[in-house]
Structures are given as structure tokens and as C-alpha cells.
Amino acid sequence: MYTGISTPAPEPSRFPAAPVIGYRNRQPATPFVQAALAERIDAGTTVFSEGDDAGNVYEVVEGVVRLYKLLADGRRQITGFRFAGDLLGFAPQTHYGYGAETVTKSKLRRFSRARFDRLVNDEPALAQRVLTVTFDELRSAQEQMLLLGRKSAAEKIASFLLKMAERQVDTLEVRLAMGRADIADYLGLTKETVCKTISELKRQGIIAASSASCIEICDRERLEDLAAGENPDIF
Amino acid sequence: MYTGISTPAPEPSRFPAAPVIGYRNRQPATPFVQAALAERIDAGTTVFSEGDDAGNVYEVVEGVVRLYKLLADGRRQITGFRFAGDLLGFAPQTHYGYGAETVTKSKLRRFSRARFDRLVNDEPALAQRVLTVTFDELRSAQEQMLLLGRKSAAEKIASFLLKMAERQVDTLEVRLAMGRADIADYLGLTKETVCKTISELKRQGIIAASSASCIEICDRERLEDLAAGENPDIF
DNA sequence: CGCACAGTTGACAATAGTCAAACGATGTGG
DNA sequence: CCACATCGTTTGACTATTGTCAACTGTGCG
């Protein structure tokens, strides 16, 4: 069971297999179902839950969103993070196949599915973008399967830091928007193992950290080798 | 470190980040690059490797194909199996993002990418099919991330058996086309753990097996609960 | 018939998880 | 402005699940 969840308020479950215990939101579950465009949302808010009617498509204008799937007892797997410019929930299915929650304060632009479909049909460029995004997500999901199924904790952390560094200007100073629990649920670890592994990487001089959320890459080469599984014997 | 690799023949690597050591095929790497349509192929043959120029798209006419990604030292993650009717390598990318090998004797229909693109452009129905397949793969990849990151060995095996049962006529008598090593690399386990877990499920009376490749589901409900993570305490 | 290989099992090891305590940053109210 | 409360992070001791290694079994093919 996962704790590290701030608000203990249980949320009425909406889909079949989900039992009540353990299903919690980090937030008082104020579901985001409001006005029209580019909406400000607090950190830790549910955008939609797995199994909800897929009535809307969202664009992240600002902030970070986590996508996740849950098991009956609350075990959570984060399948990805979405950042400014990314689309959420555009798969042409009647129900969302995963939940989405903001990690930070965010701005989201919301489209009804009908409107989104119209936009996509009218704009070949937008259709192309959706297609590209989908294939990118698929490729990224396959990479993540390799990580989850076959990499050690250290290799997972190394891969994660490099992936987060990629999307930043200064690729040596990684700013992590998400907490240790989110990282853990993304990498298939526990938050304690994430902490211990990051500490070990610091001890080895591969990284340094001015604070928990700001990590400096000191030896990019060793970090890359580790991430690629070249060095399965550091620990 | 994961072993379980039968053939030690190293293969020259073809893409940038890929180091030379460790890239291995289970098979004497007879790359399938021959005549035109619906071709017969032996079990264990490489259809294409990760990083190859994505020059062809394939349709599985008969048999089973495994898609996989490798780490530098040979650790392998099978990202999926493909069966009759499925398409391989249709992502619009210049290089394959994963390798493909036959699991059984198979028949594959091969299309040059140019021809495939032409077909898709001319046939809206085919374009629609590609789109649907892609979204299905994405959804399935997300489900697999949950499995790999958060399920126990028993839960993984249970999920796998049910998934395999789904695509059969008699959903209580599962015929497994792949060996224990393939199952292990698909579920992020070792072949020994796969064996031990299947044996444990037999001992519990949840399944029975007339042979290694033919498994009978005796108690579907318990198997389903296990797969869904409802019963994290059987073992 | 026997060789080869896949599957199975068991003893042991190692990686990651659990539990618990302490630490540190952040934010609130006195 | 400080004291306190809270929440996220870190660390350590211990546990447990899964991996490793090795031997053995069973099955299919030449």
C-alpha cells in the first residue's frame, strides 16, 4: 500500500474492480470540471480518473501532470509525466485508460472530445501531430518496459535523471518537479529505495544535490553508462 | 544480471549509442530478407533487429513473433507477442525501435514501406486499422507497465495466462506457443521464477498442466483476483 | 537409443521492500 | 519573528521476494 499521501479522505471508487481501501488522492479530490479554456489548477488535483467517460481532451499549457494506473490495493504505476505542450486523453476510446493528476500548479486547456475531433478532422497538421505524439508515446512506453522489467534500481534512477535532464535548458542541473513517491511509482521502486539510490550516486560523485529537487550531473558519462546497463556492477 | 541467453554469437551493432558487447541473438541471426509475399520462416528467426533501417512492414499470417529490446549486456525485455493478423514495424520511423523474431514456424507477408504507405493512403479503412492498432498497442503497453512495475511474480503469471487464454477458442485450456525464457523476459522475471510460480499455482489447484506448454485454468476466479492484485497474500 | 535442450527443483545469495526513527524545509499562528 | 506543526526526505536495521547457480528430469529428435 502506498502512503505518502497527504489527504486521507477516501474517494468513492468509480470503476468495477476498485475496492475502497487505499484509494486516495493526495488532494481533497476537487475534480477539475469547470469553465472553458486554459484553466489554473492546484498541485495534486485529479484531472480525470481511470475509467471515467473520456469526454475531454486536455493540453498542458503550464505545469506537470502525472498519468497513472492503480491496482485494487492502491499500488500505483505512473505511466508517464506530461509537460507544457503535451496532450492528455486524446486516445479515441470511450473511457480513459489511466488517471491524470497535476503534480504542480498547472494550466490546462480543455477541449470537448467532439470539438477536439472536429479540430483534428479540419486541420491535417493537427491530425499529423496527434499521430506523431501517439507513436512517440508508444516508443517511450516500450523503453519504459525495458526499464521496469530489466534495469536495476541504480540504472532506473540514472535513466530517469537523464530523461528529465533532456527537456531542460541546462542539462547538467536537473530540476525535479515531482516528489520521491512519484519517482518511485514511475520507476517501479519504493520512495525509500529512490532515496537510498540517489544518496549512493552522490557518494560515488556521479551526481550532487543542492536540494532534494535540484540535482547536478557531475559525471554525465558514468551516468549514461549506468543508464544503458553498461555497468551492472557499480553497486 | 540476467542471463538465460542460449546463443553467444555476438552481432555487430548498428546504431550510435549501442556498444558492441552483449548484443546477441538467440539464433544464428539469419536475417529474413528474401522474396515478396507470405513467406515461410523457421522458428527462432530474426525478422529485423532494433536499429535496422525500417524498410519493411510485416503482417503475421501464421505463427507467433516476439518483439524485444536489449540492454548492452544481453538482458532482454520482450515488449509483446504478435499473432496471425497483427502488423509489425509500421511505426513511421526511419529505424525499428525494437527487434522481432519468430517464436514458432511462421508465415509473414512483407510490404516495402513505400508500398505500405501507398496502401494506407489509398485505403481509408487500412489507415483506420493502423490507427486503431496503434492505440491498442499503447493501451496494452500501459497495462504492461503496471504489471512490470507493480505486480508480484504470481500476479504476473496469472495476468499472463489470462491474457493468453483470451485469444483462444477454449479459454480454459491455454496453449503457450513460447518457452519459459520468453515468458520470463516478457514478465520481467527469470525462467526459474516462472517455473516455480507456475508450480506453486498448480499446488494451489488454480491451474493444472498436461504438459509445459498446455495449461488448464481450474479456478478462473482465483486466477483473475490474483491477476488484478486483489489477493496480494496468497504466497 | 541416446543426445540435446527445455523445464523443474532446491539451496543459497542479493536486491529491493518494510518499518521505524530522525531530519529538514516550509508555512502558520501567536 | 520565532515556535511549532506538518509533510516530504533521508537513513538504518531487518525482512522478503526474486535471482543465481547447479543438479536433475523429462521430452523430442536424429
Side-chain angles (χ1 to χ4, degrees), chain A residues 1-233:
Chain A
M1 173 115 1
Y2 295 89
T3 53
I5 292 168
S6 39
T7 322
E11 190 202 15
S13 168
R14 263 161 291 186
F15 41 105
V20 178
I21 39 150
Y23 266 93
R24 299 170 183 185
N25 279 318
R26 267 139 228 268
Q27 249 8 73
T30 28
F32 165 65
V33 189
Q34 282 124 266
L37 290 195
E39 196 143 350
R40 278 218 134 69
I41 307 163
D42 275 348
T45 306
T46 298
V47 181
F48 53 79
S49 300
E50 175 170 359
D52 281 359
D53 271 4
N56 296 303
V57 177
Y58 300 86
E59 180 183 1
V60 181
V61 174
E62 208 180 288
V64 181
V65 175
R66 58 180 172 247
L67 309 182
Y68 61 93
K69 289 177 74 74
L70 296 170
L71 288 176
D73 60 0
R75 279 174 285 174
R76 181 180 70 157
Q77 179 64 41
I78 291 182
T79 58
F81 296 101
R82 294 293 179 266
F83 303 86
D86 292 338
L87 291 172
L88 304 183
F90 58 86
Q93 275 139 350
T94 57
H95 300 265
Y96 297 117
Y98 47 83
E101 294 170 359
T102 51
V103 173
T104 61
K105 280 193 175 189
S106 304
K107 269 199 221 170
L108 295 189
R109 188 167 294 137
R110 180 154 55 91
F111 306 90
S112 73
R113 178 141 274 289
R115 172 143 177 258
F116 181 79
D117 288 346
R118 235 180 299 123
L119 285 169
V120 168
N121 284 328
D122 294 353
E123 278 280 1
L126 191 49
Q128 185 55 50
R129 182 179 159 203
V130 168
L131 207 48
T132 305
V133 165
T134 307
F135 281 114
D136 285 353
E137 279 193 23
L138 190 53
R139 181 173 277 237
S140 155
Q142 287 157 352
E143 194 64 48
Q144 192 69 357
M145 286 192 248
L146 176 62
L147 178 147
L148 290 169
R150 288 307 184 210
K151 289 187 184 178
S152 70
E155 290 164 347
K156 287 175 176 179
I157 296 287
S159 306
F160 175 73
L161 291 176
L162 287 168
K163 182 162 184 163
M164 289 299 123
E166 261 178 32
R167 63 168 44 254
Q168 306 201 164
V169 209
D170 178 1
T171 61
L172 290 184
E173 182 90 347
V174 190
R175 294 214 140 269
L176 300 173
M178 63 294 291
R180 297 294 188 256
D182 283 347
I183 298 174
D185 282 352
Y186 181 55
L187 300 178
L189 300 169
T190 59
K191 57 187 193 307
E192 292 92 337
T193 299
V194 171
C195 279
K196 289 171 189 172
T197 307
I198 289 178
S199 297
E200 184 58 33
L201 290 174
K202 283 190 225 165
R203 239 167 274 135
Q204 304 235 358
I206 298 175
I207 61 173
S210 54
S211 78
S213 64
C214 185
I215 286 171
E216 184 194 346
I217 297 176
C218 304
D219 190 338
R220 174 171 261 273
E221 186 167 330
R222 272 215 287 167
L223 198 63
E224 281 171 352
D225 286 354
L226 190 55
E230 306 267 352
N231 225 338
D233 31 272

Side-chain angles (χ1 to χ4, degrees), chain B residues 17-33:
Chain B
V20 178
I21 38 150
Y23 265 92
R24 302 168 182 186
N25 279 316
R26 263 137 231 269
Q27 248 8 73
T30 28
F32 165 66
V33 189

Side-chain angles (χ1 to χ4, degrees), chain B residues 39 94 197 199 225:
Chain B
E39 194 144 352
T94 57
T197 307
S199 297
D225 286 355

